[in-house]
Structure formats: structure tokens, C-alpha cells
Amino acid sequence: MAKNLVIVESPAKAKTIEGYLGKDFVVKSSYGHVRDLAKKGVAIDIENDFLPNYEVSADKKAIVAELKKLAKGADVVWLATDEDREGEAISWHLYETLDLGKKDTKRITFNEITKSAVLGAIDKPRNINQELVNAQQARRVLDRLVGFELSPVLWRKVRPSLSAGRVQSVAVRLIVEREKEIIAFQSSSFFRVNGLFLKGNEKISCELNKQFEDQKEVQKFLDKISDADFSVQDVTMKPATKSPAAPFTTSTLQQEASLKLGFSVSRTMGVAQRLYEAGKITYMRTDSVNLSETALEGAKNEIVRAYGKEYSKPTKYKSKNSNAQEAHEAIRPTDFSAHTTTGENDQVRLYELIWKRSIASQMANAQLERTTIKIGAPTVNEIFQAKGEVIKFDGFLRVYLESNVDDDDDEEIDERANLLPQVITGDKLSREWVRATQRFTRPPARYVEASLVKKLEELGIGRPSTYAPTISTIQKRGYVEKMEREGLERSYNVLILNDDGVSIKEMTEITGKEKNKLSPSDIGIVVTDFLNEHFSKIMDYNFTAKVEQEFDEIANGMKEWTSMIHDFYKPFHQTVEDTLENSERASGERTLGEHPESGKKIIARIGRFGPMVQIGDEQTDGEKPQFASLRTGQSINQISLEEALELFEFPKNLGIYKNEEVVLALGRFGPYVKFKEMFVSIPRDEEVGSVDIDRAIELIKEKQEADAPIAQYEGLPVQKGSGRFGPFIKWNDIFINVNKKYDFENLSSADIKELIEAKKQKDIDKIIHSWPNEGITVEKARWGRFTVVKGKTKIELPKTFNVDALTLEKAQELIEANKPKKAAKKKTPAKKATAKKTTKK
């Protein structure tokens, strides 16, 4: 047995490290945390100084048993989990669970998984840092207390099965407040004036230094300048420099990967984790912009080699965040000479982004020349301005240009655009045209994941390790959703002055079109309003940031973790009890008006199963109300009376076709026609109220034609269609994407065979365990995860699950546990004779 046992938290990390150490070392993975707060109850002894009750989770017992056995036979145990607080806590839990107090146990950390870093850490071991552990314990205990006590309040006062959290609820508040700003925003129009002037054949594009509020003002201005003689009033040329951005922290990586690569926050962290475990980048959870001396030297050498000495400018960056851990490093490549990497496409793209940002941070400033030309006329007070810039030396721009997360259009700014001709003051110019375009003020932009991370960081809410889980949680729990808005058509006017005089054109544009913007759900708004009213301290941005500062103080040994919890818990618990006893139920109820025929009140509110509208009130009318669920995209805060009344018209029987009913209904994804077992979506641009039996039959026939088999393969029909991800064929209930190398409209028998066989082989390659007699397989899923599959049941295994140790019995247990539970029939209790009891209210 090996003399040295090294324990890390991930199997990929273990595999990389084992290659660097000799035969005297064995490297094993704990697959993340081996123990956590017990799932049953609060698991915190509040009366005993908030003593946590930890337990080893069921799926980790086999791993713990194996590690105990290996530790017993080893001379030295090396705890090599990640260097942040969570990594320190994992090491401490391993130390306690494996009973390592009697062993020679050493704690080592490294910022990158390279041979030199790992061997360097072995040479400089230390003890477990209990202060870092306590900071993580404080976070875990505080979050459990808040969730455990707040969630039941929401179950009783809003709706069952809801949850609340210290950071997640504040993140939702940001999104809710932004949505309310957008709803309250009143757009106003103005006119922006641009011109095109000529010096000979050379063009100068410019903009007026004034905007006009209405069309009359614009018309008057254009009439005034129609015969004006324009000339160059002034030319200024100024040198300017542009500096590179600092290397990536966790939050800036998440923002830039969103803007440049279109990655979600969780996708970025998953890809970065795999790059780190493969030894290609440094640790990806950091708030530091610092680079080590080794990294600075490596970057300098590569810049000089690849671009020349004049491009090198070694720079040390300082974090703006006073609590940033400067001993840690920014996210950077472990080898600057590797401009790219191999592996899956996501890893290549993210690596190249990290390499470019890191190398650019050590490059020289870009040298620019910025020119401003002012154009005017003796009879005109307003000035046209043309601005341009020329890059004299590209410096870091040769490699990288930072994106702007606050740019609504998420477009990179082209620093090289708008070159201007050579002019001097007094040069006469001819006017080609002047155009006044009606524009509209815009509400604040909804958050995307990247801009939400930026806002959380600005407010001091959360830390590098919490951004991705927080954003993922608020979406999984239905408080926030990524909406796709088609936008609305809007008309606007353009006034054009040219040699023929002033003409007016009415134009149209689509406004409000959005994709992947974060919007609060109705339940998210109701819960946020309720928590703001009754738990204002928990929801306060400053309080949440102050808690993060206290965690930092605990980590630095400046504060006792239990005293922090004491200070928080007593007033919080009192507020919980007061709210349970004294607050009213919250449903977000909103009166829309009265029913035109019955006169009954119509309201929109949150019901037991989600947002709904209701006609009548049992207490007022003495009759059972009518209910209808809202459609996707509708909100109780914005639905109109007319839209609500329309919901009660469905499902509507349109008539009979081929001796079967044809029904028009509203579903979760919009209106549809139902015929036999067929569901036919109504086109988005079609008014649902205009669909009659004739139109429904047309849609049914179109659907039947589209679904008709185009071929047979192995005795089964092959159909084709087009969905969210493009064209596909369907065979044996399997959907197969058809890429651009095939002529989708003219698929041959050979094409169909090739597509189906490739898909079958891919599905076989995905299977890593199989129990054919039971019909159970374990398959590879996205982002390095695994899924247990039986028929149509799919269970995604936790990231930390040891898939190699999965048995048939455990797989069956997981499938059984995830079966939908049937509602139990209520038993009618036998009536008992009881004496009447008088109670005082």
C-alpha cells in the first residue's frame, strides 16, 4: 500500500495530479463534500451555541469507507482540496469524518494543477485553517436558519412548496425592482439630427449637438438651414491612449463569456472547472486580479516572442474590492506559450478568451489620435460635430478588446471606425443631406445573467463561489425566468433635407425584442413584495453586503462565528413569529373589472397552482367562482380585462371534422387546435379569435402533410420537421438533427440511413453501464454529468456522485424514489360525539 494518500474533491483533478507524483503516492477523490448538515430538521442546536449536526450523505458512505481504509494504511494523508473557504471546509470535514487526528495529516493548496505547483505545495504543507472553515460554517448555518424559518412562512402566507434564501431573495428583488421600473416607465420621443457633408468627393458624417423634442421644431430647423453655407468651424486633434483590462476574476469571466461566447453563468463555471482540472488554467473562483511573478515573466516572454518587445508592458493590477484575497491569483493560463488548447469546443473557446485577456493585460497601451471637426454656418447657432479616431499603435488591441456588459445591444465597440478626411478651419463644405430621425427614450434594460453578476458584485452581495448557484437557483425555483419577447411594431418619422427640400417618411421598426433577459415571474413578484414588507432587514442590500463583510472578518480571525449568528438570529426569529401570527395572506390580487353579463368581479391573483384569473367570489356571490390559468407570457400585474375574459372562452368546440370534434384551446405554449390525438399550434402572428372550423381544418391538413412519413427504415416510418434547434427527422420516437451538409428538402435513402445509424452509434457510445434485463442504463449527459435512464424516466446524478460505484440496486432505488407520487385518497373520519367547547378569541 502507498505511503502517501492524497485526497482531492474531484476525480478529474485526481487523475491529473496522480501523473505528477511518484509510486509512493495514491490520489483519491472525495467527490465534493463528504458530509453536510443533516437533511432532517434544522440540524442546528440553537440552544447549544448553534452547534451544527453534520451527517455523511447516503451516496458518500461507500466513498468514506474506502478513504478510511486507505488512510489507515498510509503513513501521511495529504488534504489537497481547493484553496477557497469551501475547499478548506471540505478538508476539515474529511479530517473529522476519517478520524485523521491520529494520523500525520498535512494540508496543501495550489493555484494551478501543474507539476511544479503540486510539487511546490508538497514542499510547503500547512495545517487546516480553522478560521476559513468557520467562515464557511457561518455561511452554511446562517443560510440554513434563514431558509428553514422563512420557507414555512411562505407556505402559510403565499403558497405551499415555496422557498426563500438570504442571497437568492435579494437577487430576485433586484430583478423585480427593475421590472417595476420598466412597467412604470413612460417613453417620450425626440429627434436626433445627422448630416452628411462633402469636401470635394470626401464624406464627413456628423451629428448635431442638439436634440429636438417635437416635429415642428425639427421642421423649423431644417427650413432654416436649407440655404445655409456650411464650413469647418474648428478642428481639434488630441493624442489618446487606451489601456487593457485587468485579468479575469470569476465575475468578469462570467460577464465576458456571456457577451462574447453566449455562455450562461453556470456553463462558464462548468467549462472553467474542467479546464482547471486538466491543468490548463488557474483556479477559477477568485476575486483577485493579481498575477504571480512567474506568470508575469511567462507573459512577458511570450509577448516579446510573438509580437515584439514594443508590445510588452508588465503590469501589476490591484483589486478594487478591499476584501479580495490578493494571495490568490486572477484566472490565467498555466502556460502562456499555449495560445489555444485541445478538447471540446466550449473548452477551446473559453481557454482562448482567458488567454487573450491575460496576455493583453500585460501588453502596451494602444496609442490613438482622436479628431473632432465642428461644422457650422453664419446663420445657424447649432453645430454639427464629426468624431473619429485613428490607431497609431495597436498595442493590446492586436489581441483583445473588452466588451461592455451595460451595452443594451451587447455589441463590441469598434475602436477603428469612422476615419475622417483631412480638413482645416475655414474649408467650405457642401451639404449632401441632413436627416432628423425620431427616437424614443428607453426604460432601464432587463438584466441578463452577466449584468446581474456585475450588479451583485457592485453591491457586495455574494462571493465568486456563489454567483452561479444563486442565478441557477432563482430560475429553478420559478421566481425568475428567461423570457423571449417578439417585440412590437412601432412607427416613427424621418425628415430628410436634400436638394429637393424637406420630405417626411413614416417608417416602422420592431421595439422591445429580447432574448435571454431575466424577468420575474408572478410568484417571484408576490414573494418579493411579501418579504420586503415583513422582512425588510433580510431583503436590504446593505445588510446582505454587511453579512458578507462579517464572513470576511471571521475568515481573517477578527470575529467569532457563533457571536455573529447570535446577533442575527434572535431578532430574525422574533420577526418570523410575529409574521406568522399577524400578517395577512399574500396573493398579489388585482381587480380587473366586472363581467359584462353577470356583473361579477374579475380578479387576477396567485392561486394554489400558479397565476390565474377568477370570476366571482363565493363569499360575496354565494356561488363557486370560475377559474382560468394565465397563458405563457401573461402576468397578473399586466393582464387586461379583455384578455382575462378571453381565457374563459376556451376550450371551444369549433365543430365536427371526419366524425371527430375539433377543439380550439389555450395551452402552456399558446393556442392550439386539438383533433383526435393531434395537437396543432396556431401560428404566432394569427389572432386566435379568428380561427373557425374551416381554418382549423386547414391547419390540421398542413400538420398531417408535414407529419406524413418521407421514408421507411427497418420497418418504421421516418418523419421530418423543424423545431427550436433547426431541421430534424423523427424515427422510432428519436429526434435526429439534420445539419447543413444534407439537403433537407431532398433527403435520400442513403442520407436517412447515415443519420439514423450515426445517432444509434452515438447513443451506444453514451452508455457507460447497462442492465438489459432491467431496461436500465447509465449514460453520459452534458457538462460531464451522468443520467440514469429507464424508459422515459431520466434521473440526473449529482455532480459529486461516484458513477463508478453505482450498482443495479442503487439505480433501482433512484428510479423508485423519483417516481411521481399518486395522491392518496382522503379517508372520511368516523364521526364522534363530542361535547361543545367554548373558546375565547
Side-chain angles (χ1 to χ4, degrees):
M1 190 171 283
K3 295 178 181 178
N4 296 274
L5 171 64
V6 181
I7 305 176
V8 296
E9 65 273 77
S10 114
K13 188 175 173 182
K15 189 177 179 182
T16 306
I17 291 170
E18 201 159 38
Y20 300 146
L21 301 172
K23 60 181 180 353
D24 289 337
F25 288 81
V26 62
V27 186
K28 288 291 177 181
S29 168
S30 69
Y31 291 85
H33 285 275
V34 291
R35 69 174 188 174
D36 196 3
L37 291 173
K39 289 185 177 179
K40 195 172 181 181
V42 68
I44 297 162
D45 190 345
I46 294 165
E47 303 303 322
N48 189 15
D49 213 18
F50 299 97
L51 183 69
N53 173 26
Y54 294 111
E55 67 176 12
V56 176
S57 54
D59 62 329
K60 292 298 178 67
K61 286 182 178 176
I63 294 168
V64 168
E66 182 193 12
L67 291 175
K68 272 187 175 178
K69 184 179 176 182
L70 291 168
K72 192 174 181 181
D75 294 339
V76 183
V77 177
W78 305 79
L79 300 175
T81 53
D82 290 340
E83 62 180 347
D84 58 7
R85 293 171 196 172
E86 190 169 0
E88 203 72 20
I90 291 172
S91 279
W92 177 72
H93 283 298
L94 284 165
Y95 185 86
E96 296 286 317
T97 307
L98 304 181
D99 194 22
L100 297 178
K102 299 169 188 173
K103 300 291 299 183
D104 184 2
T105 305
K106 301 179 188 296
R107 172 78 171 114
I108 56 171
T109 60
F110 29 82
N111 185 48
E112 58 186 64
I113 306 176
T114 56
K115 187 171 184 178
S116 59
V118 172
L119 295 178
I122 294 281
D123 289 339
K124 295 179 181 177
R126 61 171 173 82
N127 294 323
I128 291 172
N129 185 328
Q130 195 60 43
E131 288 158 351
L132 290 180
V133 173
N134 288 341
Q136 187 63 21
Q137 276 200 113
R139 181 186 292 278
R140 191 73 190 90
V141 167
L142 185 63
D143 288 348
R144 171 61 71 91
L145 289 170
V146 170
F148 192 82
E149 298 212 3
L150 260 191
S151 296
V153 176
L154 297 179
W155 302 343
R156 284 179 56 180
K157 299 298 181 179
V158 184
R159 200 182 82 186
S161 303
L162 295 175
S163 67
R166 182 182 58 83
V167 176
Q168 75 171 55
S169 297
V170 176
V172 176
R173 180 188 169 189
L174 280 168
I175 294 163
V176 169
E177 288 185 345
R178 178 58 55 88
E179 193 68 22
K180 289 181 175 179
E181 286 178 57
I182 292 167
I183 292 168
F185 185 81
Q186 296 291 322
S187 181
S188 59
S189 72
F190 61 93
F191 284 82
R192 180 180 291 141
V193 181
N194 296 86
L196 182 66
F197 293 87
L198 301 177
K199 182 200 173 187
N201 292 324
E202 293 185 296
K203 297 177 179 179
I204 305 173
S205 296
C206 53
E207 184 174 333
L208 195 69
N209 63 350
K210 177 184 178 179
Q211 293 174 346
F212 297 94
E213 292 184 6
D214 60 53
Q215 193 164 313
K216 285 182 181 177
E217 279 188 67
V218 175
Q219 181 79 51
K220 187 177 176 182
F221 171 75
L222 294 178
D223 289 340
K224 183 173 71 173
I225 68 168
S226 62
D227 56 357
D229 296 321
F230 285 94
S231 63
V232 176
Q233 304 286 304
D234 184 47
V235 180
T236 57
M237 298 171 73
K238 291 182 179 177
T241 60
K242 188 170 181 64
S243 302
F248 282 132
T249 62
T250 301
S251 69
T252 54
L253 175 64
Q254 289 168 346
Q255 292 165 43
E256 199 75 342
S258 172
L259 297 175
K260 277 191 161 64
L261 308 179
F263 286 8
S264 67
V265 166
S266 57
R267 183 177 174 186
T268 298
M269 294 312 291
V271 177
Q273 176 91 33
R274 296 196 290 282
L275 286 171
Y276 166 67
E277 289 170 348
K280 294 174 180 177
I281 63 168
T282 53
Y283 191 54
M284 66 285 157
R285 293 187 186 93
T286 177
D287 51 8
S288 171
V289 292
N290 183 46
L291 291 179
S292 67
E293 291 298 330
T294 305
L296 290 171
E297 187 64 25
K300 178 184 175 182
N301 292 339
E302 184 56 26
I303 291 165
V304 171
R305 187 198 68 78
Y307 305 108
K309 190 175 179 181
E310 67 275 19
Y311 281 90
S312 174
K313 186 192 173 190
T315 306
K316 289 189 176 182
Y317 293 87
K318 286 279 186 182
S319 298
K320 294 176 184 176
N321 178 5
S322 59
N323 293 313
Q325 300 173 61
E326 296 294 355
H328 295 173
E329 272 197 86
I331 303 167
R332 62 163 176 84
T334 54
D335 178 6
F336 279 100
S337 68
H339 293 214
T340 187
T341 187
T342 55
E344 62 184 62
N345 188 45
D346 279 4
Q347 289 187 33
V348 173
R349 294 173 71 202
L350 191 67
Y351 177 86
E352 288 177 355
L353 183 69
I354 292 167
W355 182 87
K356 287 176 182 177
R357 174 78 165 232
S358 303
I359 206 85
S361 75
Q362 299 305 305
M363 292 177 76
N365 294 339
Q367 304 298 325
L368 315 171
E369 184 178 79
R370 288 183 176 147
T371 303
T372 302
I373 301 172
K374 293 182 179 180
I375 300 168
T379 57
V380 180
N381 294 326
E382 293 80 9
I383 295 291
F384 285 93
Q385 282 191 342
K387 293 185 177 181
E389 62 183 32
V390 177
I391 296 176
K392 297 291 188 180
F393 172 64
D394 55 1
F396 77 94
L397 290 175
R398 183 162 178 181
V399 173
Y400 183 81
L401 179 62
E402 185 183 18
S403 300
N404 182 5
V405 75
D406 294 319
D407 183 358
D408 284 350
D409 299 320
D410 293 345
E411 292 178 353
E412 287 187 22
I413 300 165
D414 185 357
E415 296 289 345
R416 302 156 211 225
N418 202 17
L419 293 173
L420 297 173
Q422 291 285 334
V423 294
I424 58 172
T425 302
D427 278 352
K428 302 293 182 184
L429 304 174
S430 59
R431 185 203 72 234
E432 181 80 359
W433 50 255
V434 174
R435 181 168 55 217
T437 307
Q438 188 179 18
R439 296 289 80 208
F440 301 85
T441 54
R442 292 191 291 180
R446 289 182 176 89
Y447 290 106
V448 292
E449 287 190 358
S451 57
L452 182 60
V453 166
K454 184 180 181 185
K455 188 66 177 177
L456 289 170
E457 187 179 40
E458 284 173 0
L459 293 171
I461 296 168
R463 284 293 179 264
S465 60
T466 65
Y467 299 136
T470 297
I471 290 172
S472 178
T473 298
I474 62 179
Q475 291 178 73
K476 282 179 182 173
R477 293 184 175 166
Y479 292 139
V480 170
E481 51 199 355
K482 284 183 181 176
M483 298 288 288
E484 193 167 326
R485 292 177 169 83
E486 290 298 310
L488 300 170
E489 189 172 86
R490 174 174 68 190
S491 61
Y492 65 98
N493 288 335
V494 178
L495 287 78
I496 303 172
L497 169 65
N498 54 29
D499 292 341
D500 298 325
V502 177
S503 60
I504 302 174
K505 288 185 180 178
E506 185 173 318
M507 312 283 282
T508 60
E509 63 184 352
I510 299 297
T511 180
K513 188 172 183 177
E514 291 181 339
K515 192 175 182 182
N516 289 335
K517 295 290 180 80
L518 298 173
S519 298
S521 63
D522 282 333
I523 194 66
I525 293 171
V526 171
V527 167
T528 298
D529 289 345
F530 179 83
L531 293 176
N532 269 336
E533 182 181 352
H534 299 287
F535 295 91
S536 56
K537 186 175 181 181
I538 288 285
M539 298 294 282
D540 182 71
Y541 300 134
N542 292 329
F543 170 76
T544 311
K546 181 175 175 289
V547 168
E548 293 294 344
Q549 289 172 1
E550 289 184 280
F551 290 150
D552 293 337
E553 288 170 11
I554 294 165
N556 292 323
M558 298 162 62
K559 192 163 195 164
E560 189 67 36
W561 79 270
T562 50
S563 68
M564 177 223 177
I565 304 294
H566 272 291
D567 294 342
F568 166 82
Y569 183 71
K570 189 174 179 181
F572 168 69
H573 181 67
Q574 185 62 52
T575 306
V576 169
E577 292 187 326
D578 290 346
T579 305
L580 283 169
E581 190 173 340
N582 301 315
S583 68
E584 298 290 326
R585 281 189 63 84
S587 67
E589 185 175 305
R590 176 171 159 254
T591 301
L592 304 179
E594 293 182 349
H595 193 280
E597 294 170 12
S598 66
K600 290 179 180 178
K601 185 168 71 170
I602 299 179
I603 61 170
R605 67 180 180 87
I606 294 291
R608 184 176 181 83
F609 302 106
M612 51 171 273
V613 287
Q614 172 182 328
I615 299 176
D617 183 282
E618 195 165 0
Q619 291 181 338
T620 307
D621 305 323
E623 296 176 7
K624 190 175 180 180
Q626 287 179 264
F627 304 100
S629 295
L630 268 60
R631 288 160 54 184
T632 301
Q634 291 182 325
S635 162
I636 60 173
N637 293 300
Q638 292 181 282
I639 190 170
S640 67
L641 177 62
E642 292 72 23
E643 290 168 333
L645 288 169
E646 189 181 76
L647 294 172
F648 290 97
E649 293 176 11
F650 303 97
K652 183 195 291 185
N653 192 330
L654 296 177
I656 303 295
Y657 175 56
K658 292 187 176 179
N659 299 321
E660 296 283 349
E661 281 188 347
V662 177
V663 177
L664 180 62
L666 297 177
R668 189 177 161 204
F669 301 106
Y672 63 90
V673 169
K674 184 177 184 297
F675 173 67
K676 295 183 180 179
E677 299 303 313
M678 183 189 293
F679 297 87
V680 189
S681 295
I682 307 293
R684 282 185 179 182
D685 57 352
E686 193 162 334
E687 177 56 49
V688 65
S690 68
V691 177
D692 57 15
I693 184 65
D694 294 332
R695 176 60 179 145
I697 291 169
E698 278 180 36
L699 291 167
I700 290 165
K701 286 179 177 177
E702 288 172 11
K703 173 76 170 169
Q704 287 173 332
E705 191 176 324
D707 289 350
I710 59 168
Q712 293 277 324
Y713 187 72
E714 294 183 353
L716 296 171
V718 179
Q719 298 165 292
K720 71 177 186 177
S722 190
R724 279 179 65 197
F725 304 106
F728 64 84
I729 60 170
K730 182 184 176 186
W731 174 80
N732 196 19
D733 284 334
I734 300 169
F735 291 87
I736 305 164
N737 290 331
V738 179
N739 63 40
K740 290 180 181 178
K741 86 172 192 178
Y742 297 96
D743 181 355
F744 182 62
E745 297 303 324
N746 300 291
L747 290 173
S748 66
S749 299
D751 292 336
I752 291 167
K753 180 180 179 181
E754 186 178 334
L755 285 162
I756 292 172
E757 290 301 326
K759 177 67 175 173
K760 283 161 70 175
Q761 187 58 47
K762 189 176 179 183
D763 289 346
I764 291 168
D765 293 343
K766 281 199 307 185
I767 297 171
I768 60 165
H769 287 312
S770 177
W771 296 279
N773 292 340
E774 306 296 332
I776 299 173
T777 58
V778 181
E779 300 176 3
K780 293 176 186 175
R782 296 176 79 189
W783 321 131
R785 305 290 276 268
F786 298 94
T787 307
V788 178
V789 181
K790 183 176 183 181
K792 292 190 177 181
T793 303
K794 292 187 178 183
I795 301 139
E796 189 174 271
L797 298 174
K799 193 175 181 182
T800 55
F801 195 94
N802 182 6
V803 73
D804 296 326
L806 183 66
T807 61
L808 172 60
E809 291 73 23
K810 181 63 180 175
Q812 289 172 323
E813 186 184 309
L814 287 166
I815 290 164
E816 194 62 35
N818 281 272
K819 275 186 180 176
K821 295 176 183 176
K822 292 181 180 177
K825 292 182 179 178
K826 291 183 180 178
K827 292 182 180 178
T828 307
K831 292 183 179 178
K832 293 182 181 179
T834 53
K836 286 188 178 178
K837 195 173 182 180
T838 306
T839 57
K840 289 183 181 179
K841 287 188 178 179

